[in-house]
Amino acid sequence: MTKIHTLEAGPQEHIAHRPRGGHQPGGHGRAAQESGGAIAVPIGSASPLRILHLISFGGLGGAQQSILGLLQGQDRSRYQPIVACPPMDDLAKAATALGIPVLPLQWPVRLTRVSRLSGPLELFRFAAGVVAALPMVRRAIRESGADLIQTQDLKTHVLGGLAARLERRPCIWHLRDDVGLGLVRAALSFLGAFAAERVVAISSAVGSRLIGPVRRRTVVIYNGVDMRRLEQQASSGETPEALRGEGRRVGMVGHMAPLKGQDLFLRAAAELAPRFPDLQFVVVGDAVYRTTERYRAYKSELQTLAQDLGIANRVVFTGAVDRIGAVLQALDVLVVPSRSEGLGRVAIEGMALGRPVVATCIGGLMEVVVDRETGILVPPEDPAAIARAVAELLENPQRASRMGEEARKQVQKKFPIEGHIERMSVLYDDVAHRQ
């Protein structure tokens, strides 16, 4: 099996960091040449490398927060990011506030309505949407003068990979989701073999899903979090009113979607409630994926479930929050009950603030949480196991405190935003200099 490399802090063993001599922005469509399957990038004047980030969804979920963290911390004398995403969404507004140029892309309805490629009908809709959107993406590449394309989700991996190939630009896929073991995995692996110059996987769990030649182009670079920013939020005094006052709190954070497991959290809460009369349960997040009725209805289903379980008066639904550090600081235990997780950004954020974490033993979470050292891992789909782990931490505050301290050290070592930016810069330079 082809090995997937993981870039850790310290010397880079797998990607050579060569001095950049500058780049001619927008010149690749005329000058790029293919050599042995790679796209040669000419070195010209000392202009920043123009990187076009293609994103199909404009909400502010964990992936988008990670993207913004990278773009905000990049050296603008070396890299000029450009964001292409749906207009007027939260991501476009946030990028504009950071002074990052935004190219508005209005994706075809037949493409936005596809949530998961689970059957022939959705596959057909997706293919039709790709055909309809491809000219728009090619035009965005030309108009942006991009030297390098970076795609950020499944839809843009396909569209951006094809468009970049046609426009003779190098393309980096940033693989953030677990693509499973089915048709999507096979199709993505096949396409990546010729459409992606490199693939960045946010965890070994995500990268290991790819098969075939594309595995040799895949490198693991963990997302990073800005610990200083989280600490400032935690000490800002801007904790939501509902989370102030006495009593202990257990909570989870994530957009309202079945994959995030809010229903599992509520069922675990129902088991904990009689045992801990002072315990408050906090559900943070909103239905950011509004393209299907299923996601729009999920929040009301959860509120109904809390009533049916007899814990509605103990559960706080905060909705979306801007200053996540202030919310995490108010929790005694953070629960991450996801059914699928590429890495688990919220677990990292909670650990950065010294919160002990109870997380399901799936995907990238197993690379974030060290069981019994920085938190407790539990089987997926098991509310009783979640409840037992939370109770253990609540009944042993000193052990929970030690886990939280070890968790913070783990984040400092493995997930700092500065290390993420450095490793991505090394990758950009390597792709730009490849002949």
Side-chain angles (χ1 to χ4, degrees), residues 220-270:
V220 174
I221 301 179
Y222 292 126
N223 290 336
V225 297
D226 188 338
M227 297 184 68
R228 184 179 306 172
R229 179 170 173 268
L230 286 168
E231 289 166 354
Q232 289 173 346
Q233 292 177 358
S235 61
S236 66
E238 297 184 19
T239 305
E241 186 68 32
L243 305 186
R244 298 177 186 177
E246 300 298 324
R248 293 182 290 181
R249 299 178 183 86
V250 174
M252 69 163 292
V253 179
H255 61 260
M256 293 286 185
L259 282 178
K260 293 300 181 182
Q262 283 89 351
D263 58 313
L264 300 173
F265 175 75
L266 292 178
R267 294 186 187 281

Side-chain angles (χ1 to χ4, degrees), residues 149-426:
I149 316 303
Q150 184 168 343
T151 60
Q152 303 285 358
D153 52 64
L154 175 61
K155 294 170 186 175
T156 58
H157 295 334
V158 176
L159 273 166
L162 292 173
R165 200 66 176 173
L166 291 170
E167 295 297 322
R168 302 171 71 84
R169 307 296 210 277
C171 182
I172 295 174
W173 285 4
H174 209 133
L175 199 60
R176 300 180 180 276
D177 299 307
D178 187 337
V179 298
L181 298 172
L183 180 60
V184 174
R185 174 201 196 193
L188 206 62
S189 298
F190 173 78
L191 180 62
F194 75 89
E197 190 77 9
R198 296 300 294 269
V199 176
V200 176
I202 64 170
S203 67
S204 295
V206 166
S208 66
R209 294 299 197 187
L210 297 175
I211 55 177
V214 72
R215 288 283 290 269
R216 292 193 292 271
R217 301 183 187 180
T218 301
V219 62
V220 174
I221 301 179
Y222 292 126
N223 290 336
V225 297
D226 188 338
M227 297 184 68
R228 184 179 306 172
R229 179 170 173 268
L230 286 168
E231 289 166 354
Q232 289 173 346
Q233 292 177 358
S235 61
S236 66
E238 297 184 19
T239 305
E241 186 68 32
L243 305 186
R244 298 177 186 177
E246 300 298 324
R248 293 182 290 181
R249 299 178 183 86
V250 174
M252 69 163 292
V253 179
H255 61 260
M256 293 286 185
L259 282 178
K260 293 300 181 182
Q262 283 89 351
D263 58 313
L264 300 173
F265 175 75
L266 292 178
R267 294 186 187 281
E271 296 195 27
L272 289 163
R275 189 170 174 181
F276 300 95
D278 68 328
L279 193 59
Q280 185 182 52
F281 306 101
V282 183
V283 180
V284 180
D286 211 339
V288 295
Y289 293 113
R290 301 185 179 93
T291 57
T292 66
E293 289 293 336
R294 178 73 184 94
Y295 288 121
R296 285 194 290 266
Y298 188 57
K299 184 175 182 178
S300 62
E301 291 173 10
L302 292 172
Q303 292 170 331
T304 300
L305 177 60
Q307 292 176 345
D308 293 343
L309 293 171
I311 57 172
N313 63 330
R314 303 273 296 274
V315 179
V316 175
F317 290 91
T318 69
V321 298
D322 293 327
R323 304 176 76 80
I324 191 62
V327 172
L328 292 171
Q329 186 68 23
L331 302 180
D332 293 274
V333 179
L334 172 66
V335 178
V336 186
S338 303
R339 292 181 166 97
S340 177
E341 201 69 70
L343 183 61
R345 178 180 178 85
V346 71
I348 300 172
E349 291 174 328
M351 290 164 60
L353 292 174
R355 302 298 93 182
V357 175
V358 173
T360 44
C361 190
I362 49 98
L365 285 170
M366 292 186 288
E367 299 167 51
V368 174
V369 179
V370 181
D371 192 28
R372 300 286 165 176
E373 292 185 21
T374 65
I376 300 177
L377 292 172
V378 298
E381 300 287 348
D382 194 340
I386 295 173
R388 286 193 299 271
V390 171
E392 179 182 336
L393 293 172
L394 292 175
E395 291 175 341
N396 296 274
Q398 290 184 334
R399 183 184 304 170
S401 179
R402 286 196 300 270
M403 283 187 180
E405 184 56 36
E406 288 302 314
R408 178 177 169 77
K409 293 176 182 177
Q410 171 86 341
V411 175
Q412 287 176 322
K413 176 182 177 182
K414 197 172 182 179
F415 303 107
I417 186 61
E418 297 83 2
H420 176 72
I421 293 169
E422 177 189 354
R423 291 187 280 277
M424 288 302 301
S425 299
V426 170

